[in-house]
Structures are given as C-alpha cells and as structure tokens.
Amino acid sequence: LARAIAEVCEGQIVETGVTGDPARTLDDYLGTIRLKTAALFKASCELGAATSGARASTRTALVAYGESLGLAFQVVDDLLDIVGDPQTTGKVPGTDLRKGVFTAPLLIAAERAPDLAARLSAGERELADILPVLHDTGALANVFDIAAGFAGDAYEALDALPEGETKALLATTVDGVLAQIERSAA
C-alpha cells in the first residue's frame, strides 16, 4: 500500500510538472498513468490476493490484471474527457485540455499534426477548435485501440485464474470500462 501511495504521488508530481507541454511522448504519458492510476488498481488486486491467502501464481495474475485494468481505465477516462457525453460521464468535455493536461488523444494528434502542438503551446485550449484535428489525425481511434489493448491484457491475465464467479466478475469489470466509450459514442 505504501508503494502504491508513493507511485500515485510520483505520477501526480510528474503530471503537474508537464502540464502545458504538448511535446511529451505517448510513452511519457503511459509512464505517468502507470504510476498515477494503474498503481492503485494493481495494489487493490495485490492486497486482495495477499489478504485472502491466494497462491503466488494467482497473486501474480491479479497484479497483472489490476495494472492492465488501471491503464485501460485511465486511457478510457482521458478519451471520455474529449468525446464523452456529459449526461453519461458527469464530466464537462475538454476539462483536461483547458487545464493544460495533455492526454493520449492530444499527444498523438500533436505528434501527427505539428501545427496542433504549436497551437496548444500558444494556449489554444478550446475543445471545439481542436476536436477536428483529433478526428483528422485518427488520434481518437488510435486511443480507443490503446485502451482495448490494455483491456485485452487484463483479460489475458485472467486466463491464469480458475473458472468461476470471481473470474467472471473481474472480466465484467473490464467489459464495463470499455462499454463507457461505446455508451458515450452512441
């Protein structure tokens, strides 16, 4: 738990330090969310396994599941910040953008469209002005694929668990994360 708290704090410090920087790479972003969000999911799964007396192989599988689920969750959350329906998500679209927190969709689009990086650096932060570039560069579709890849990793980690209600519920949790995008896009 202490390790997870330290990782979350480190991730938040890193994110705060790069606020307003559209030149960050996707790998930088993924490293930050691995600390900031995935560490909590991973720790939750590890603590559950440890306190239940699970075998080492089960614990390892649950740690991998938790980390992958956390990554998928954060990527989906960042995508929903751009394309989510406020009635469904309870979030005002473009909140991260307005704060200068550039997540995967913006970083991918900025890499593919250098003029976007310049606009972001100059302080342009209105979602309506930037959304066409996100669509034109394919960044939104690419980010969905990234989230689906992490979800696939979470499903794969569950392969090591025995069939049963627990495994089914864990898989349903992954389904729910991906369904957020589908519901919002509908």
Side-chain angles (χ1 to χ4, degrees), residues 66-102:
E67 182 173 45
S68 296
L69 177 65
L71 290 165
F73 174 87
Q74 188 61 60
V75 171
V76 166
D77 187 64
D78 291 340
L79 188 57
L80 290 175
D81 185 66
I82 294 184
V83 297
D85 174 5
Q87 299 292 4
T88 303
T89 66
K91 299 170 74 167
V92 176
T95 299
D96 286 341
L97 169 62
R98 282 187 295 283
K99 291 179 180 178
V101 177
F102 303 141

PDB file of all heavy atoms in Angstrom, residues 66-102:
ATOM      1  N   GLY A  66      -4.776  -6.093 -12.528  1.00  0.00           N
ATOM      2  CA  GLY A  66      -5.032  -4.775 -11.949  1.00  0.00           C
ATOM      3  C   GLY A  66      -4.303  -3.665 -12.673  1.00  0.00           C
ATOM      4  O   GLY A  66      -4.875  -2.605 -12.945  1.00  0.00           O
ATOM      5  N   GLU A  67      -3.052  -3.900 -13.008  1.00  0.00           N
ATOM      6  CA  GLU A  67      -2.295  -2.877 -13.720  1.00  0.00           C
ATOM      7  C   GLU A  67      -2.893  -2.620 -15.107  1.00  0.00           C
ATOM      8  O   GLU A  67      -3.093  -1.465 -15.505  1.00  0.00           O
ATOM      9  CB  GLU A  67      -0.823  -3.272 -13.844  1.00  0.00           C
ATOM     10  CG  GLU A  67      -0.008  -2.194 -14.542  1.00  0.00           C
ATOM     11  CD  GLU A  67       1.470  -2.474 -14.530  1.00  0.00           C
ATOM     12  OE1 GLU A  67       1.870  -3.621 -14.809  1.00  0.00           O
ATOM     13  OE2 GLU A  67       2.223  -1.530 -14.234  1.00  0.00           O
ATOM     14  N   SER A  68      -3.211  -3.680 -15.818  1.00  0.00           N
ATOM     15  CA  SER A  68      -3.783  -3.513 -17.160  1.00  0.00           C
ATOM     16  C   SER A  68      -5.158  -2.858 -17.095  1.00  0.00           C
ATOM     17  O   SER A  68      -5.477  -1.993 -17.921  1.00  0.00           O
ATOM     18  CB  SER A  68      -3.867  -4.867 -17.864  1.00  0.00           C
ATOM     19  OG  SER A  68      -2.572  -5.386 -18.070  1.00  0.00           O
ATOM     20  N   LEU A  69      -5.963  -3.261 -16.132  1.00  0.00           N
ATOM     21  CA  LEU A  69      -7.278  -2.646 -15.968  1.00  0.00           C
ATOM     22  C   LEU A  69      -7.132  -1.161 -15.644  1.00  0.00           C
ATOM     23  O   LEU A  69      -7.849  -0.327 -16.202  1.00  0.00           O
ATOM     24  CB  LEU A  69      -8.071  -3.350 -14.865  1.00  0.00           C
ATOM     25  CG  LEU A  69      -9.444  -2.758 -14.558  1.00  0.00           C
ATOM     26  CD1 LEU A  69     -10.376  -2.896 -15.758  1.00  0.00           C
ATOM     27  CD2 LEU A  69     -10.032  -3.426 -13.319  1.00  0.00           C
ATOM     28  N   GLY A  70      -6.194  -0.816 -14.776  1.00  0.00           N
ATOM     29  CA  GLY A  70      -5.960   0.588 -14.433  1.00  0.00           C
ATOM     30  C   GLY A  70      -5.532   1.414 -15.630  1.00  0.00           C
ATOM     31  O   GLY A  70      -5.981   2.547 -15.814  1.00  0.00           O
ATOM     32  N   LEU A  71      -4.669   0.850 -16.456  1.00  0.00           N
ATOM     33  CA  LEU A  71      -4.243   1.554 -17.664  1.00  0.00           C
ATOM     34  C   LEU A  71      -5.413   1.743 -18.622  1.00  0.00           C
ATOM     35  O   LEU A  71      -5.619   2.840 -19.160  1.00  0.00           O
ATOM     36  CB  LEU A  71      -3.103   0.798 -18.348  1.00  0.00           C
ATOM     37  CG  LEU A  71      -1.766   0.821 -17.598  1.00  0.00           C
ATOM     38  CD1 LEU A  71      -0.815  -0.236 -18.150  1.00  0.00           C
ATOM     39  CD2 LEU A  71      -1.133   2.197 -17.642  1.00  0.00           C
ATOM     40  N   ALA A  72      -6.191   0.679 -18.831  1.00  0.00           N
ATOM     41  CA  ALA A  72      -7.358   0.786 -19.709  1.00  0.00           C
ATOM     42  C   ALA A  72      -8.332   1.829 -19.167  1.00  0.00           C
ATOM     43  O   ALA A  72      -8.841   2.665 -19.925  1.00  0.00           O
ATOM     44  CB  ALA A  72      -8.054  -0.570 -19.845  1.00  0.00           C
ATOM     45  N   PHE A  73      -8.568   1.795 -17.875  1.00  0.00           N
ATOM     46  CA  PHE A  73      -9.491   2.731 -17.247  1.00  0.00           C
ATOM     47  C   PHE A  73      -9.056   4.174 -17.487  1.00  0.00           C
ATOM     48  O   PHE A  73      -9.861   5.020 -17.883  1.00  0.00           O
ATOM     49  CB  PHE A  73      -9.590   2.463 -15.741  1.00  0.00           C
ATOM     50  CG  PHE A  73     -10.401   3.479 -15.009  1.00  0.00           C
ATOM     51  CD1 PHE A  73     -11.769   3.340 -14.907  1.00  0.00           C
ATOM     52  CD2 PHE A  73      -9.790   4.593 -14.436  1.00  0.00           C
ATOM     53  CE1 PHE A  73     -12.527   4.300 -14.232  1.00  0.00           C
ATOM     54  CE2 PHE A  73     -10.536   5.553 -13.776  1.00  0.00           C
ATOM     55  CZ  PHE A  73     -11.915   5.404 -13.677  1.00  0.00           C
ATOM     56  N   GLN A  74      -7.775   4.467 -17.252  1.00  0.00           N
ATOM     57  CA  GLN A  74      -7.311   5.845 -17.389  1.00  0.00           C
ATOM     58  C   GLN A  74      -7.332   6.310 -18.836  1.00  0.00           C
ATOM     59  O   GLN A  74      -7.690   7.457 -19.122  1.00  0.00           O
ATOM     60  CB  GLN A  74      -5.911   6.024 -16.809  1.00  0.00           C
ATOM     61  CG  GLN A  74      -5.470   7.474 -16.760  1.00  0.00           C
ATOM     62  CD  GLN A  74      -6.380   8.324 -15.884  1.00  0.00           C
ATOM     63  OE1 GLN A  74      -6.513   8.068 -14.703  1.00  0.00           O
ATOM     64  NE2 GLN A  74      -7.012   9.344 -16.468  1.00  0.00           N
ATOM     65  N   VAL A  75      -6.967   5.444 -19.765  1.00  0.00           N
ATOM     66  CA  VAL A  75      -6.999   5.813 -21.185  1.00  0.00           C
ATOM     67  C   VAL A  75      -8.450   6.096 -21.595  1.00  0.00           C
ATOM     68  O   VAL A  75      -8.731   7.087 -22.283  1.00  0.00           O
ATOM     69  CB  VAL A  75      -6.349   4.725 -22.061  1.00  0.00           C
ATOM     70  CG1 VAL A  75      -6.572   5.009 -23.544  1.00  0.00           C
ATOM     71  CG2 VAL A  75      -4.851   4.623 -21.764  1.00  0.00           C
ATOM     72  N   VAL A  76      -9.376   5.250 -21.158  1.00  0.00           N
ATOM     73  CA  VAL A  76     -10.793   5.477 -21.451  1.00  0.00           C
ATOM     74  C   VAL A  76     -11.263   6.785 -20.815  1.00  0.00           C
ATOM     75  O   VAL A  76     -11.950   7.584 -21.465  1.00  0.00           O
ATOM     76  CB  VAL A  76     -11.653   4.282 -20.975  1.00  0.00           C
ATOM     77  CG1 VAL A  76     -13.137   4.638 -20.962  1.00  0.00           C
ATOM     78  CG2 VAL A  76     -11.402   3.068 -21.854  1.00  0.00           C
ATOM     79  N   ASP A  77     -10.887   7.015 -19.581  1.00  0.00           N
ATOM     80  CA  ASP A  77     -11.281   8.246 -18.898  1.00  0.00           C
ATOM     81  C   ASP A  77     -10.771   9.475 -19.648  1.00  0.00           C
ATOM     82  O   ASP A  77     -11.500  10.462 -19.808  1.00  0.00           O
ATOM     83  CB  ASP A  77     -10.763   8.234 -17.458  1.00  0.00           C
ATOM     84  CG  ASP A  77     -11.274   9.404 -16.649  1.00  0.00           C
ATOM     85  OD1 ASP A  77     -12.503   9.483 -16.429  1.00  0.00           O
ATOM     86  OD2 ASP A  77     -10.446  10.246 -16.235  1.00  0.00           O
ATOM     87  N   ASP A  78      -9.551   9.397 -20.123  1.00  0.00           N
ATOM     88  CA  ASP A  78      -8.980  10.526 -20.866  1.00  0.00           C
ATOM     89  C   ASP A  78      -9.669  10.707 -22.217  1.00  0.00           C
ATOM     90  O   ASP A  78      -9.843  11.834 -22.684  1.00  0.00           O
ATOM     91  CB  ASP A  78      -7.473  10.344 -21.044  1.00  0.00           C
ATOM     92  CG  ASP A  78      -6.725  10.466 -19.729  1.00  0.00           C
ATOM     93  OD1 ASP A  78      -7.276  11.043 -18.759  1.00  0.00           O
ATOM     94  OD2 ASP A  78      -5.582   9.980 -19.650  1.00  0.00           O
ATOM     95  N   LEU A  79     -10.068   9.615 -22.825  1.00  0.00           N
ATOM     96  CA  LEU A  79     -10.819   9.701 -24.081  1.00  0.00           C
ATOM     97  C   LEU A  79     -12.205  10.299 -23.832  1.00  0.00           C
ATOM     98  O   LEU A  79     -12.665  11.169 -24.582  1.00  0.00           O
ATOM     99  CB  LEU A  79     -10.927   8.321 -24.712  1.00  0.00           C
ATOM    100  CG  LEU A  79     -11.509   8.222 -26.105  1.00  0.00           C
ATOM    101  CD1 LEU A  79     -10.729   9.069 -27.096  1.00  0.00           C
ATOM    102  CD2 LEU A  79     -11.502   6.762 -26.563  1.00  0.00           C
ATOM    103  N   LEU A  80     -12.831   9.874 -22.747  1.00  0.00           N
ATOM    104  CA  LEU A  80     -14.158  10.404 -22.409  1.00  0.00           C
ATOM    105  C   LEU A  80     -14.103  11.893 -22.072  1.00  0.00           C
ATOM    106  O   LEU A  80     -15.091  12.610 -22.262  1.00  0.00           O
ATOM    107  CB  LEU A  80     -14.769   9.626 -21.248  1.00  0.00           C
ATOM    108  CG  LEU A  80     -15.187   8.200 -21.570  1.00  0.00           C
ATOM    109  CD1 LEU A  80     -15.653   7.490 -20.302  1.00  0.00           C
ATOM    110  CD2 LEU A  80     -16.258   8.164 -22.643  1.00  0.00           C
ATOM    111  N   ASP A  81     -12.957  12.355 -21.599  1.00  0.00           N
ATOM    112  CA  ASP A  81     -12.816  13.786 -21.323  1.00  0.00           C
ATOM    113  C   ASP A  81     -12.927  14.600 -22.607  1.00  0.00           C
ATOM    114  O   ASP A  81     -13.220  15.788 -22.561  1.00  0.00           O
ATOM    115  CB  ASP A  81     -11.476  14.072 -20.631  1.00  0.00           C
ATOM    116  CG  ASP A  81     -11.346  15.526 -20.228  1.00  0.00           C
ATOM    117  OD1 ASP A  81     -12.110  15.971 -19.351  1.00  0.00           O
ATOM    118  OD2 ASP A  81     -10.505  16.229 -20.824  1.00  0.00           O
ATOM    119  N   ILE A  82     -12.726  13.943 -23.722  1.00  0.00           N
ATOM    120  CA  ILE A  82     -12.798  14.638 -25.008  1.00  0.00           C
ATOM    121  C   ILE A  82     -14.117  14.350 -25.733  1.00  0.00           C
ATOM    122  O   ILE A  82     -14.740  15.265 -26.250  1.00  0.00           O
ATOM    123  CB  ILE A  82     -11.588  14.249 -25.885  1.00  0.00           C
ATOM    124  CG1 ILE A  82     -10.340  14.785 -25.202  1.00  0.00           C
ATOM    125  CG2 ILE A  82     -11.744  14.769 -27.299  1.00  0.00           C
ATOM    126  CD1 ILE A  82      -9.073  14.616 -25.913  1.00  0.00           C
ATOM    127  N   VAL A  83     -14.541  13.098 -25.759  1.00  0.00           N
ATOM    128  CA  VAL A  83     -15.716  12.747 -26.555  1.00  0.00           C
ATOM    129  C   VAL A  83     -16.894  12.260 -25.720  1.00  0.00           C
ATOM    130  O   VAL A  83     -17.918  11.874 -26.279  1.00  0.00           O
ATOM    131  CB  VAL A  83     -15.367  11.679 -27.622  1.00  0.00           C
ATOM    132  CG1 VAL A  83     -14.356  12.217 -28.612  1.00  0.00           C
ATOM    133  CG2 VAL A  83     -14.902  10.386 -26.976  1.00  0.00           C
ATOM    134  N   GLY A  84     -16.756  12.278 -24.418  1.00  0.00           N
ATOM    135  CA  GLY A  84     -17.812  11.746 -23.570  1.00  0.00           C
ATOM    136  C   GLY A  84     -19.061  12.622 -23.528  1.00  0.00           C
ATOM    137  O   GLY A  84     -18.988  13.840 -23.656  1.00  0.00           O
ATOM    138  N   ASP A  85     -20.175  11.975 -23.358  1.00  0.00           N
ATOM    139  CA  ASP A  85     -21.448  12.654 -23.185  1.00  0.00           C
ATOM    140  C   ASP A  85     -21.543  13.101 -21.723  1.00  0.00           C
ATOM    141  O   ASP A  85     -21.524  12.257 -20.824  1.00  0.00           O
ATOM    142  CB  ASP A  85     -22.589  11.692 -23.523  1.00  0.00           C
ATOM    143  CG  ASP A  85     -23.965  12.257 -23.237  1.00  0.00           C
ATOM    144  OD1 ASP A  85     -24.084  13.441 -22.864  1.00  0.00           O
ATOM    145  OD2 ASP A  85     -24.939  11.498 -23.382  1.00  0.00           O
ATOM    146  N   PRO A  86     -21.642  14.399 -21.477  1.00  0.00           N
ATOM    147  CA  PRO A  86     -21.671  14.876 -20.092  1.00  0.00           C
ATOM    148  C   PRO A  86     -22.821  14.285 -19.272  1.00  0.00           C
ATOM    149  O   PRO A  86     -22.692  14.126 -18.062  1.00  0.00           O
ATOM    150  CB  PRO A  86     -21.819  16.388 -20.213  1.00  0.00           C
ATOM    151  CG  PRO A  86     -21.736  16.728 -21.640  1.00  0.00           C
ATOM    152  CD  PRO A  86     -21.726  15.474 -22.440  1.00  0.00           C
ATOM    153  N   GLN A  87     -23.930  13.932 -19.938  1.00  0.00           N
ATOM    154  CA  GLN A  87     -25.048  13.311 -19.218  1.00  0.00           C
ATOM    155  C   GLN A  87     -24.670  11.914 -18.715  1.00  0.00           C
ATOM    156  O   GLN A  87     -25.155  11.475 -17.683  1.00  0.00           O
ATOM    157  CB  GLN A  87     -26.294  13.223 -20.122  1.00  0.00           C
ATOM    158  CG  GLN A  87     -26.807  14.555 -20.584  1.00  0.00           C
ATOM    159  CD  GLN A  87     -27.383  15.378 -19.425  1.00  0.00           C
ATOM    160  OE1 GLN A  87     -27.351  15.006 -18.259  1.00  0.00           O
ATOM    161  NE2 GLN A  87     -27.923  16.523 -19.771  1.00  0.00           N
ATOM    162  N   THR A  88     -23.814  11.248 -19.466  1.00  0.00           N
ATOM    163  CA  THR A  88     -23.384   9.902 -19.092  1.00  0.00           C
ATOM    164  C   THR A  88     -22.197   9.937 -18.147  1.00  0.00           C
ATOM    165  O   THR A  88     -22.164   9.208 -17.163  1.00  0.00           O
ATOM    166  CB  THR A  88     -23.003   9.097 -20.360  1.00  0.00           C
ATOM    167  OG1 THR A  88     -24.114   9.079 -21.244  1.00  0.00           O
ATOM    168  CG2 THR A  88     -22.607   7.678 -20.023  1.00  0.00           C
ATOM    169  N   THR A  89     -21.216  10.777 -18.459  1.00  0.00           N
ATOM    170  CA  THR A  89     -19.969  10.776 -17.685  1.00  0.00           C
ATOM    171  C   THR A  89     -20.002  11.679 -16.466  1.00  0.00           C
ATOM    172  O   THR A  89     -19.218  11.489 -15.536  1.00  0.00           O
ATOM    173  CB  THR A  89     -18.785  11.230 -18.564  1.00  0.00           C
ATOM    174  OG1 THR A  89     -18.976  12.607 -18.931  1.00  0.00           O
ATOM    175  CG2 THR A  89     -18.638  10.364 -19.792  1.00  0.00           C
ATOM    176  N   GLY A  90     -20.861  12.683 -16.490  1.00  0.00           N
ATOM    177  CA  GLY A  90     -20.860  13.662 -15.402  1.00  0.00           C
ATOM    178  C   GLY A  90     -19.686  14.620 -15.490  1.00  0.00           C
ATOM    179  O   GLY A  90     -19.394  15.349 -14.550  1.00  0.00           O
ATOM    180  N   LYS A  91     -18.992  14.611 -16.615  1.00  0.00           N
ATOM    181  CA  LYS A  91     -17.813  15.454 -16.817  1.00  0.00           C
ATOM    182  C   LYS A  91     -18.067  16.435 -17.958  1.00  0.00           C
ATOM    183  O   LYS A  91     -18.707  16.093 -18.944  1.00  0.00           O
ATOM    184  CB  LYS A  91     -16.601  14.600 -17.200  1.00  0.00           C
ATOM    185  CG  LYS A  91     -16.198  13.579 -16.172  1.00  0.00           C
ATOM    186  CD  LYS A  91     -15.166  12.627 -16.714  1.00  0.00           C
ATOM    187  CE  LYS A  91     -13.823  13.281 -16.811  1.00  0.00           C
ATOM    188  NZ  LYS A  91     -12.735  12.341 -17.028  1.00  0.00           N
ATOM    189  N   VAL A  92     -17.528  17.624 -17.819  1.00  0.00           N
ATOM    190  CA  VAL A  92     -17.589  18.608 -18.891  1.00  0.00           C
ATOM    191  C   VAL A  92     -16.473  18.272 -19.875  1.00  0.00           C
ATOM    192  O   VAL A  92     -15.297  18.224 -19.495  1.00  0.00           O
ATOM    193  CB  VAL A  92     -17.400  20.041 -18.349  1.00  0.00           C
ATOM    194  CG1 VAL A  92     -17.372  21.043 -19.480  1.00  0.00           C
ATOM    195  CG2 VAL A  92     -18.493  20.369 -17.340  1.00  0.00           C
ATOM    196  N   PRO A  93     -16.804  17.985 -21.146  1.00  0.00           N
ATOM    197  CA  PRO A  93     -15.768  17.636 -22.123  1.00  0.00           C
ATOM    198  C   PRO A  93     -14.709  18.737 -22.252  1.00  0.00           C
ATOM    199  O   PRO A  93     -15.025  19.921 -22.233  1.00  0.00           O
ATOM    200  CB  PRO A  93     -16.548  17.479 -23.429  1.00  0.00           C
ATOM    201  CG  PRO A  93     -17.937  17.138 -22.999  1.00  0.00           C
ATOM    202  CD  PRO A  93     -18.146  17.909 -21.721  1.00  0.00           C
ATOM    203  N   GLY A  94     -13.465  18.305 -22.354  1.00  0.00           N
ATOM    204  CA  GLY A  94     -12.361  19.234 -22.546  1.00  0.00           C
ATOM    205  C   GLY A  94     -11.777  19.796 -21.262  1.00  0.00           C
ATOM    206  O   GLY A  94     -10.932  20.688 -21.315  1.00  0.00           O
ATOM    207  N   THR A  95     -12.178  19.263 -20.115  1.00  0.00           N
ATOM    208  CA  THR A  95     -11.675  19.782 -18.842  1.00  0.00           C
ATOM    209  C   THR A  95     -10.155  19.670 -18.752  1.00  0.00           C
ATOM    210  O   THR A  95      -9.475  20.631 -18.391  1.00  0.00           O
ATOM    211  CB  THR A  95     -12.347  19.061 -17.658  1.00  0.00           C
ATOM    212  OG1 THR A  95     -13.759  19.291 -17.723  1.00  0.00           O
ATOM    213  CG2 THR A  95     -11.801  19.549 -16.331  1.00  0.00           C
ATOM    214  N   ASP A  96      -9.612  18.492 -19.074  1.00  0.00           N
ATOM    215  CA  ASP A  96      -8.153  18.320 -19.016  1.00  0.00           C
ATOM    216  C   ASP A  96      -7.465  19.264 -19.998  1.00  0.00           C
ATOM    217  O   ASP A  96      -6.462  19.897 -19.660  1.00  0.00           O
ATOM    218  CB  ASP A  96      -7.749  16.875 -19.320  1.00  0.00           C
ATOM    219  CG  ASP A  96      -8.055  15.919 -18.187  1.00  0.00           C
ATOM    220  OD1 ASP A  96      -8.243  16.368 -17.045  1.00  0.00           O
ATOM    221  OD2 ASP A  96      -8.107  14.699 -18.454  1.00  0.00           O
ATOM    222  N   LEU A  97      -8.000  19.374 -21.194  1.00  0.00           N
ATOM    223  CA  LEU A  97      -7.434  20.253 -22.218  1.00  0.00           C
ATOM    224  C   LEU A  97      -7.353  21.688 -21.702  1.00  0.00           C
ATOM    225  O   LEU A  97      -6.307  22.335 -21.818  1.00  0.00           O
ATOM    226  CB  LEU A  97      -8.281  20.188 -23.488  1.00  0.00           C
ATOM    227  CG  LEU A  97      -7.993  21.220 -24.579  1.00  0.00           C
ATOM    228  CD1 LEU A  97      -6.577  21.064 -25.111  1.00  0.00           C
ATOM    229  CD2 LEU A  97      -9.019  21.079 -25.701  1.00  0.00           C
ATOM    230  N   ARG A  98      -8.450  22.178 -21.140  1.00  0.00           N
ATOM    231  CA  ARG A  98      -8.459  23.561 -20.644  1.00  0.00           C
ATOM    232  C   ARG A  98      -7.446  23.776 -19.523  1.00  0.00           C
ATOM    233  O   ARG A  98      -6.907  24.863 -19.368  1.00  0.00           O
ATOM    234  CB  ARG A  98      -9.864  23.946 -20.186  1.00  0.00           C
ATOM    235  CG  ARG A  98     -10.791  24.278 -21.358  1.00  0.00           C
ATOM    236  CD  ARG A  98     -12.134  24.826 -20.907  1.00  0.00           C
ATOM    237  NE  ARG A  98     -12.928  23.866 -20.169  1.00  0.00           N
ATOM    238  CZ  ARG A  98     -13.604  22.852 -20.714  1.00  0.00           C
ATOM    239  NH1 ARG A  98     -13.566  22.680 -22.024  1.00  0.00           N
ATOM    240  NH2 ARG A  98     -14.308  22.031 -19.968  1.00  0.00           N
ATOM    241  N   LYS A  99      -7.170  22.729 -18.759  1.00  0.00           N
ATOM    242  CA  LYS A  99      -6.193  22.821 -17.664  1.00  0.00           C
ATOM    243  C   LYS A  99      -4.758  22.634 -18.158  1.00  0.00           C
ATOM    244  O   LYS A  99      -3.820  22.762 -17.387  1.00  0.00           O
ATOM    245  CB  LYS A  99      -6.486  21.765 -16.603  1.00  0.00           C
ATOM    246  CG  LYS A  99      -7.757  22.008 -15.833  1.00  0.00           C
ATOM    247  CD  LYS A  99      -7.963  20.881 -14.829  1.00  0.00           C
ATOM    248  CE  LYS A  99      -9.222  21.073 -14.028  1.00  0.00           C
ATOM    249  NZ  LYS A  99      -9.444  19.945 -13.089  1.00  0.00           N
ATOM    250  N   GLY A 100      -4.607  22.286 -19.441  1.00  0.00           N
ATOM    251  CA  GLY A 100      -3.268  22.044 -19.980  1.00  0.00           C
ATOM    252  C   GLY A 100      -2.748  20.651 -19.693  1.00  0.00           C
ATOM    253  O   GLY A 100      -1.557  20.394 -19.825  1.00  0.00           O
ATOM    254  N   VAL A 101      -3.637  19.755 -19.306  1.00  0.00           N
ATOM    255  CA  VAL A 101      -3.253  18.358 -19.098  1.00  0.00           C
ATOM    256  C   VAL A 101      -3.489  17.645 -20.424  1.00  0.00           C
ATOM    257  O   VAL A 101      -4.623  17.365 -20.799  1.00  0.00           O
ATOM    258  CB  VAL A 101      -4.083  17.709 -17.960  1.00  0.00           C
ATOM    259  CG1 VAL A 101      -3.712  16.236 -17.810  1.00  0.00           C
ATOM    260  CG2 VAL A 101      -3.876  18.465 -16.655  1.00  0.00           C
ATOM    261  N   PHE A 102      -2.407  17.397 -21.142  1.00  0.00           N
ATOM    262  CA  PHE A 102      -2.491  16.813 -22.468  1.00  0.00           C
ATOM    263  C   PHE A 102      -2.343  15.298 -22.359  1.00  0.00           C
ATOM    264  O   PHE A 102      -1.291  14.782 -22.013  1.00  0.00           O
ATOM    265  CB  PHE A 102      -1.443  17.420 -23.397  1.00  0.00           C
ATOM    266  CG  PHE A 102      -1.557  18.917 -23.514  1.00  0.00           C
ATOM    267  CD1 PHE A 102      -0.433  19.711 -23.562  1.00  0.00           C
ATOM    268  CD2 PHE A 102      -2.799  19.539 -23.554  1.00  0.00           C
ATOM    269  CE1 PHE A 102      -0.527  21.089 -23.673  1.00  0.00           C
ATOM    270  CE2 PHE A 102      -2.917  20.920 -23.659  1.00  0.00           C
ATOM    271  CZ  PHE A 102      -1.778  21.694 -23.714  1.00  0.00           C
TER     272      PHE A 102
END
